[in-house]
């Protein structure tokens, strides 16, 4: 049974059950992934899946039920199960379904055709070969992968809402390991985009091999206070780790220190943090969120001043404000939560090299590890294993390892002294991508020798 026939049966059943407000959410995903190892395709994955989630309102309470089977029996089951679920809920916070009165931005039509397998297979094998050829010290190349995914989402509800969003994403990455005089170091490179042509193989090779080779011979440094420049990838990783502090849901649960801080300075005037669902630099553009609310660009922090939390319909009603269009579903089975789309710190004007020159002597952090164990998402405190390079006389010097960087996320935002021009986004996680340029953040505590 196709989705249109299934949808008709669900609506018919909902009406027969006396439901006045209901919604059907549909998800279709196809993914192909090919990994090369020692000149052969070592792993391959080809998946295709459809799923639907029905939710309905009964006395202001929302019931959910999901299925992967599209047949008459399941159409009836998910409606009745969702209705039963709503009847037994004890939540005091009312839920809502959207009436769809927004104007939605037009998104460019996305081709949903996956490449023939021979193309990504050949690309993965060539990427591995190029990594080995880039430097004689490369001893192994792992996770040398080309992956492709297409997805479609539909939201149909009793208010007449009928929305469809599609995406097509290509990702390639590799991890190179280099060895010299018994010292072994690894580097990772990644490239992604909406088209196969967006994949930059040369960049992946340069980044993965370069990161590994550059760290050979790394040493620790004495403990102390150092002026620090955090690379774009690691600034984005920190932002991702503390993402929940910007969620209205977390704030309403008492789990965000930003609750009630709107229109107060919380960061350096150099920091503007925005969420732009139609950002040209990201893979998954979104004209609507998981509630069906139209998305739009918004500054969460504007020149250091905190402007807004991220809201869905439910949390917005509780706060007495409008939804910011940030409802999110991790999958068709999941309940609606909150998340950004393209969430990034706006870039400045200087290159990392110019930032090194400005601080004179310090530390350039290019890798942070232990984000989940070493960071407290509520207080903002973190203590993380780090690697990078010393900065001497305004230039990048020798590699540094076996150090720990300690600080506080909120204090770090306030201490930003320079924002780089090298904005870069992380790999997509669902419909969310996090981006940042390099940040010069003043003095930080470093534990080393």
């Amino acid at each position: 049974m196709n989705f249109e026939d299934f949808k008709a049966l669900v609506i018919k059943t909902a009406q027969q059950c006396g439901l006045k407000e209901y919604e059907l959410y549909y998800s279709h995903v196809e993914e192909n992934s090919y990994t090369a190892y020692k000149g052969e395709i070592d792993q391959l994955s080809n998946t295709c899946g459809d799923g639907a989630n029905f939710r309905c309102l009964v006395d202001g309470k929302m019931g959910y039920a999901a299925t992967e089977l599209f047949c008459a029996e399941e159409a009836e089951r998910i409606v009745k199960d969702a209705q039963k679920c709503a009847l037994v809920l004890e939540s005091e916070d009312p839920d809502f379904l959207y009436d769809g009165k927004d104007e939605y931005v037009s998104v460019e039509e996305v081709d949903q055709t996956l490449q023939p397998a021979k193309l990504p297979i050949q690309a993965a094998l060539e990427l591995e070969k190029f990594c080995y050829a880039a430097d004689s010290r490369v001893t192994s190349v792992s996770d040398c992968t080309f992956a492709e995914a297409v997805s479609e989402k539909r939201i149909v509800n009793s208010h007449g809402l009928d929305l469809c969003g599609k995406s097509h994403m290509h990702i390639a990455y590799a991890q190179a390991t280099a060895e010299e005089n018994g010292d072994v170091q690894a580097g990772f490179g990644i490239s992604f985009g909406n088209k196969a042509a967006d994949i930059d193989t040369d960049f992946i090779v340069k980044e993965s091999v370069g990161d590994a080779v550059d760290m050979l011979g790394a040493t620790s440094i004495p403990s102390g206070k150092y002026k620090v420049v955090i690379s774009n990838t690691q600034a984005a990783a920190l932002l991702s780790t503390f993402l929940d502090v910007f969620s209205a849901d977390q704030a309403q649960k008492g789990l965000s220190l930003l609750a009630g801080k709107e229109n107060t300075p919380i960061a350096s005037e150099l920091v503007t943090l925005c969420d732009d669902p139609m950002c040209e630099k990201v893979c998954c553009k979104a004209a609507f969120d998981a509630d069906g609310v139209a998305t739009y660009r918004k500054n969460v922090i504007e020149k250091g001043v905190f402007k807004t939390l991220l809201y869905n319909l439910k949390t917005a009603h509780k706060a007495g404000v409008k939804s910011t269009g940030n409802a999110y579903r991790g999958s068709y089975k999941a309940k609606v939560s909150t998340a950004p789309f393209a969430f990034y710190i706006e870039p400045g004007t200087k290159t990392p090299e110019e930032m090194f020159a400005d601080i004179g002597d310090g530390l350039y952090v290019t890798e942070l590890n232990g984000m989940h164990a070493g960071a407290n998402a509520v207080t903002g405190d973190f203590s993380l294993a780090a690697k990078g390079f010393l900065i001497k006389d305004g230039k990048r010097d020798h590699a540094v390892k076996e150090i720990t960087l300690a600080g506080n996320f909120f204090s770090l935002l306030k201490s930003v002294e320079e924002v780089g021009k090298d904005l870069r986004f992380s790999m997509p996680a669902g419909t969310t991508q996090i981006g940042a340029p390099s940040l010069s953040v003043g003095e930080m505590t470093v534990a080393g020798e």
Side-chain angles (χ1 to χ4, degrees), residues 320-339:
V321 298
K322 283 187 63 176
S323 170
T324 58
N326 286 99
Y328 175 77
R329 285 182 188 255
S331 73
Y332 71 90
K333 296 178 182 178
K335 291 185 177 181
V336 173
S337 58
T338 306

Side-chain angles (χ1 to χ4, degrees), residues 270-301:
L270 298 172
V271 176
T272 292
L273 174 65
C274 73
D275 180 40
D276 184 3
M278 300 301 292
C279 178
E280 288 299 321
K281 291 181 176 288
V282 300
C283 297
C284 304
K285 298 173 181 60
F288 58 91
D289 70 0
D291 279 329
V293 175
T295 60
Y296 63 96
R297 187 191 187 284
K298 65 197 74 72
N299 287 341
V300 174
I301 300 173

Side-chain angles (χ1 to χ4, degrees), residues 152-215:
E152 177 182 350
K153 294 179 174 64
R154 288 273 303 273
I155 300 178
V156 180
N157 73 19
S158 53
H159 294 298
L161 196 69
D162 192 344
L163 301 171
C164 180
K166 298 179 180 180
S167 68
H168 192 158
M169 182 170 59
H170 296 259
I171 297 178
Y173 52 87
Q175 177 171 291
T177 301
E179 182 175 357
E180 186 175 52
N181 299 326
D183 186 17
V184 179
Q185 298 291 338
F188 183 77
I190 185 169
S191 180
F192 43 77
N194 295 120
K195 303 178 179 67
D198 293 334
I199 300 300
D200 189 340
T201 301
D202 291 341
F203 177 80
I204 299 171
V205 173
K206 182 179 179 181
E207 184 173 46
S208 59
V209 175
D211 285 357
V213 169
D214 287 350
M215 286 303 298

Side-chain angles (χ1 to χ4, degrees), residues 28 144 312 318 353 380 407 430:
H28 169 78
C144 187
N312 58 24
K318 189 172 182 178
E353 290 74 20

Side-chain angles (χ1 to χ4, degrees), residues 36 53 56 58 89 107 115 127 165 197 204 219 230 255 262 293 311 363 376 407 410 433 435:
N53 190 312
C56 61
V58 179
L89 285 177
V107 180
Q115 295 183 96
L127 176 58
I204 299 171
T219 61
I230 301 175
L255 299 175
E262 287 85 355
V293 175
Y311 293 91
L363 181 66
N376 186 315
F410 301 104
Q433 280 187 261

Side-chain angles (χ1 to χ4, degrees), residues 113-415:
T113 306
L114 294 171
Q115 295 183 96
K118 65 180 182 180
L119 296 178
I121 286 174
Q122 180 182 0
L125 293 170
E126 288 182 348
L127 176 58
E128 183 191 38
K129 182 174 67 175
F130 294 154
C131 286
Y132 276 114
D135 195 287
S136 61
R137 290 167 289 184
V138 174
T139 57
S140 69
V141 181
S142 59
D143 293 332
C144 187
T145 299
F146 268 70
E148 183 180 9
V150 296
S151 67
E152 177 182 350
K153 294 179 174 64
R154 288 273 303 273
I155 300 178
V156 180
N157 73 19
S158 53
H159 294 298
L161 196 69
D162 192 344
L163 301 171
C164 180
K166 298 179 180 180
S167 68
H168 192 158
M169 182 170 59
H170 296 259
I171 297 178
Y173 52 87
Q175 177 171 291
T177 301
E179 182 175 357
E180 186 175 52
N181 299 326
D183 186 17
V184 179
Q185 298 291 338
F188 183 77
I190 185 169
S191 180
F192 43 77
N194 295 120
K195 303 178 179 67
D198 293 334
I199 300 300
D200 189 340
T201 301
D202 291 341
F203 177 80
I204 299 171
V205 173
K206 182 179 179 181
E207 184 173 46
S208 59
V209 175
D211 285 357
V213 169
D214 287 350
M215 286 303 298
L216 291 171
T219 61
S220 189
I221 55 176
S223 299
K225 296 278 189 178
Y226 289 80
K227 294 180 180 179
V228 173
V229 175
I230 301 175
S231 72
N232 51 10
T233 58
Q234 300 313 297
L238 275 173
L239 183 57
S240 179
T241 299
F242 294 99
L243 196 61
D244 279 353
V245 304
F246 301 102
S247 164
D249 183 54
Q250 294 297 102
Q252 290 169 1
K253 292 175 180 176
L255 299 175
S256 171
L257 294 180
L258 295 183
K261 295 290 182 66
E262 287 85 355
N263 297 315
T264 61
I266 65 163
S268 160
E269 291 182 358
L270 298 172
V271 176
T272 292
L273 174 65
C274 73
D275 180 40
D276 184 3
M278 300 301 292
C279 178
E280 288 299 321
K281 291 181 176 288
V282 300
C283 297
C284 304
K285 298 173 181 60
F288 58 91
D289 70 0
D291 279 329
V293 175
T295 60
Y296 63 96
R297 187 191 187 284
K298 65 197 74 72
N299 287 341
V300 174
I301 300 173
E302 186 174 306
K303 295 182 180 180
V305 177
F306 178 53
K307 291 297 185 179
T308 183
L309 292 163
L310 301 178
Y311 293 91
N312 58 24
L313 285 175
K314 183 176 182 177
T315 55
H317 178 268
K318 189 172 182 178
V321 298
K322 283 187 63 176
S323 170
T324 58
N326 286 99
Y328 175 77
R329 285 182 188 255
S331 73
Y332 71 90
K333 296 178 182 178
K335 291 185 177 181
V336 173
S337 58
T338 306
F341 293 92
F343 199 58
Y344 64 95
I345 296 172
E346 287 191 345
T349 60
K350 292 190 176 182
T351 66
E353 290 74 20
E354 290 171 326
M355 296 163 76
F356 301 161
D358 286 344
I359 69 170
D361 296 327
L363 181 66
Y364 179 41
V365 175
T366 59
E367 184 176 331
L368 292 169
N369 294 304
M371 295 283 192
H372 297 293
N376 186 315
V378 178
T379 65
D381 294 330
F382 60 84
S383 181
L384 305 168
K387 293 181 180 180
F389 299 87
L390 269 185
I391 302 169
K392 284 188 176 181
D393 298 324
K395 295 183 179 180
R396 196 181 89 167
D397 200 72
H398 71 80
V400 173
K401 65 178 181 179
E402 296 175 357
I403 59 173
T404 300
L405 187 72
N408 179 276
F409 177 68
F410 301 104
S411 298
L412 185 148
L413 289 176
K414 292 178 180 178
S415 67

